Amino acid sequence: PAGPGGVAVHRAGLKKWALPPDYSGITIPEKPKLKYMDKVPAVPKVQREPRRLRDIRGPSQVATDFIQGQYGILALGGGYLHWGHFEMIRLTIGRSIDPKSMFAVWRVPAPYKSVTQKSLGHRMGGGKGPVDHFVTAVKSGRLVVEVGGRCEFEEVQPFLACVAQKLPFPAVPVSRESLQEMRREEEEKRLDNQNPWTFERVVASNMLGMRKYLSPYDLRLKGRYWGKFFLKHRV
Amino acid sequence: VPVPVLVLSAAPAAWLPALQLLRRGSKAVTRHWKAMHFQRQKLLALTEYVRPRPAVPPRCLPRRAPEGQQEDGYARVLRRQVEQTLRGSRMVAVCQYNSLPEEDVATLRHFLRRHNIHVHFVFNEVVRPVLAQSKYRNLLPLFVCRNILLVSPQAPAREMLRVLKGVPQVNLLGACIDDTILSRQGVENFARLPSLEASQGQTVAALSLLSSQTSSLLQRGPAHLTALLDQHIRRLRDTGAATEPPLGQSTGDH
């Protein structure tokens, strides 16, 4: 701050103490740690199921918002989680949280989709291979785990980021506020875009016959998704 | 099994090609980044996000004060304390404070306390709103840098000046004594005034001066006459003439 004559006048103001956070409405459930997820479902399917990669494609319609916890891991791409991933998440989070004051909750089901694998070194043909392992499909925009309790985002962020890095799809730790902020920014971007040509508009009215080179799914995905990838920078 | 759903969209019905041949080998969803058709790449490049660019950049416009500044409880408590001290004091002196070592501050406090002067360290941002609403409005320009307030229920200006003279780091800026705002010179003049008892005695003496002079006023004429006659006697005695002294009778009449 400049005083008379442009000289800086140093002054110490009153220190504004922030109030400690209010954790009055938070109850820790009986089993605060993450549940163990089976490798194989209790009733394993005998019939081998087709690949159906459309369960990876596009935005998620389920588990997009917080239920119990305040912080979580948001998937920014599609992918399959297998038992190894589940164990990694369970053990890392179990190691890092304090069960007396924090809790964690799964937002994805145990592996249910069977994945077949032909034995190595064989030529094509001979039918579909046997079931190798089971996976869970995760679409982008879905929460994987939720963490809550008497803690701040800064405490939780390091180990959630560690877990998010090891997942097979790009993921990021979020809190309720940061997720809201992300959505708000996205909406703002969509509204104040100065480009009169949007993907949505071009595809919907099939300008220049673009739909010859695009998929019918692009009507719904609006250029923000390509395969299992989520294009964050697209409006 | 996915159920085909009829989707009614607001967009007009588009022309779809009758056959969509899958020329390439890979499926729609791949682990790797599937290479896009060039037309699709062009479309994505065309429909990229364009940031709004206002004519005047926001950094050239005046910045609004950050909203949502909560009232600080601690500041409220400090303000209430300052209000209480101001209410219960006759003398309020504002001094500029340059840093002193702690023991010197304690010594200063001790010497001032001997004359019943209390030292208050104040925050400008706390004191300014309090002063603006009270009667000490005109002291506001003094609260710029680090200040201390010397408050006292009496007004021992002389002692205060004597103590402050020995502390060069504390400079008196101004004071408000008995609802009168005084500058530094004013305080010095005030200190030089006689004490209350002495000035009361002087006032009484000045008022009773006239009444004390009444008796001497009344006796002035006869006293003058007496003096003249005495001188006359002395002159006659000097000349040696023996005249009947009618003095005794004349003085007896009056």
Side-chain angles (χ1 to χ4, degrees):
Chain A
V7 181
V9 176
H10 297 285
R11 34 173 232 124
L14 190 64
K15 173 123 183 134
K16 290 182 175 58
W17 298 101
L19 290 170
D22 181 30
Y23 294 133
S24 49
I26 295 177
T27 44
I28 318 274
E30 277 142 25
K31 296 200 178 153
K33 291 202 175 177
L34 287 169
K35 194 175 62 157
Y36 171 78
M37 294 291 209
D38 290 316
K39 239 189 201 181
V40 171
V43 185
K45 280 172 279 213
V46 180
Q47 174 148 39
R48 290 162 290 191
E49 53 183 302
R51 214 156 307 216
R52 260 194 288 128
L53 289 167
R54 55 182 177 272
D55 54 8
I56 303 296
R57 194 181 198 185
S60 171
Q61 307 293 331
V62 296
T64 45
D65 277 311
F66 285 91
I67 283 187
Q68 283 181 53
Q70 288 112 51
Y71 320 107
I73 299 182
L74 184 79
L76 292 175
Y80 288 123
L81 287 173
H82 57 67
W83 185 74
H85 295 125
F86 280 99
E87 281 300 282
M88 179 272 293
I89 298 174
R90 189 176 69 86
L91 292 171
T92 313
I93 291 189
R95 222 190 355 253
S96 326
I97 64 165
D98 174 25
K100 281 182 239 154
S101 60
M102 290 148 72
F103 65 91
V105 155
W106 285 115
R107 289 308 297 279
V108 288
Y112 59 87
K113 179 174 177 171
S114 55
V115 162
T116 60
Q117 185 73 42
K118 282 187 96 60
S119 26
L120 183 62
H122 286 254
R123 298 213 170 168
M124 291 283 106
K128 195 165 161 81
V131 167
D132 184 43
H133 58 274
F134 285 78
V135 293
T136 327
V138 170
K139 289 198 183 183
S140 36
R142 187 194 179 127
L143 289 167
V144 178
V145 279
E146 256 180 53
V147 178
R150 292 188 278 274
C151 52
E152 291 297 304
F153 190 42
E154 284 80 18
E155 297 171 36
V156 167
Q157 205 176 12
F159 64 82
L160 283 188
C162 192
V163 166
Q165 211 179 13
K166 296 188 194 165
L167 293 174
F169 40 80
V172 72
V174 292
S175 66
R176 281 190 197 238
E177 292 86 21
S178 81
L179 186 63
Q180 223 177 14
E181 182 66 30
M182 226 190 276
R183 298 226 169 112
R184 195 186 58 83
E185 264 173 26
E186 226 172 286
E187 189 60 29
E188 254 185 38
K189 246 179 114 170
R190 195 178 68 81
L191 289 172
D192 64 22
N193 186 12
Q194 299 301 301
N195 194 347
W197 310 110
T198 50
F199 192 96
E200 201 180 334
R201 189 179 158 197
V202 170
V203 171
S205 40
N206 194 17
M207 294 182 178
L208 296 175
M210 267 297 132
R211 285 189 71 177
K212 182 168 176 208
Y213 311 103
L214 304 171
S215 154
Y217 285 92
D218 283 314
L219 270 171
R220 236 185 296 154
L221 304 176
K222 294 170 192 166
R224 301 196 76 203
Y225 300 87
W226 177 239
K228 65 170 185 168
F229 303 102
F230 170 57
L231 309 169
K232 207 161 184 277
H233 54 275
R234 298 252 348 138
V235 78
Chain B
V1 175
V3 176
V5 171
L6 190 67
V7 172
L8 291 164
S9 62
W15 178 87
L16 264 178
L19 267 174
Q20 275 182 335
L21 297 164
L22 196 70
R23 281 169 179 264
R24 295 275 176 244
S26 57
K27 302 195 197 290
V29 180
T30 49
R31 280 175 221 226
H32 62 261
W33 177 269
K34 196 165 116 175
M36 289 187 190
H37 197 284
F38 188 56
Q39 291 283 26
R40 197 196 162 99
Q41 284 179 43
K42 284 197 283 188
L43 177 63
L44 287 181
L46 171 71
T47 54
E48 258 166 29
Y49 171 67
V50 171
R51 200 185 313 168
R53 208 158 163 258
V56 180
R59 64 192 165 99
C60 298
L61 294 168
R63 226 182 348 172
R64 285 180 317 174
E67 49 303 272
Q69 267 182 338
Q70 281 122 4
E71 175 61 50
D72 200 16
Y74 185 46
R76 236 183 299 141
V77 165
L78 288 176
R79 244 180 275 139
R80 218 182 302 141
Q81 279 180 353
V82 173
E83 269 166 31
Q84 271 173 353
T85 34
L86 288 180
R87 223 178 296 141
S89 65
R90 238 182 77 185
M91 173 178 91
V92 174
V94 184
C95 306
Q96 187 221 8
Y97 171 79
N98 299 304
S99 52
L100 275 174
E102 278 192 22
E103 56 261 23
D104 288 358
V105 171
T107 326
L108 174 71
R109 266 207 146 104
H110 166 70
F111 278 115
L112 287 171
R113 194 72 186 75
R114 266 214 228 146
H115 307 293
N116 203 11
I117 304 176
H118 303 263
V119 173
H120 277 280
F121 283 86
V122 287
F123 276 118
N124 291 345
E125 64 188 65
V126 162
V127 164
R128 277 178 158 264
V130 172
L131 287 184
Q133 274 131 33
S134 71
K135 56 187 178 179
Y136 302 102
R137 221 158 287 130
N138 291 315
L139 285 175
L140 269 176
L142 296 177
F143 286 88
V144 173
C145 50
R146 268 204 95 174
N147 298 306
I148 48 174
L149 281 182
L150 307 179
V151 295
S152 163
Q154 304 123 24
R158 209 176 311 136
E159 290 87 3
M160 182 179 79
L161 282 175
R162 207 177 300 141
V163 173
L164 290 181
K165 199 162 53 168
V167 185
Q169 286 101 334
V170 174
N171 309 311
L172 179 67
L173 298 175
C176 182
I177 304 179
D178 289 334
D179 298 344
T180 331
I181 293 188
L182 301 166
S183 68
R184 203 209 166 84
Q185 269 72 47
V187 176
E188 281 163 17
N189 296 340
F190 178 81
R192 255 180 257 127
L193 286 174
S195 72
L196 193 66
E197 292 78 23
S199 40
Q200 273 175 350
Q202 275 180 6
T203 331
V204 166
L207 288 172
S208 54
L209 192 66
L210 291 171
S211 43
S212 60
Q213 277 182 349
T214 323
S215 57
S216 52
L217 256 178
L218 288 171
Q219 288 189 348
R220 223 176 28 163
H224 190 56
L225 186 61
T226 322
L228 280 173
L229 289 172
D230 276 338
Q231 204 171 17
H232 187 61
I233 294 169
R234 236 179 274 128
R235 213 185 299 131
L236 288 176
R237 215 181 279 144
D238 288 341
T239 50
T243 29
E244 281 94 39
L247 290 161
Q249 291 169 358
S250 52
T251 45
D253 293 336
H254 297 286

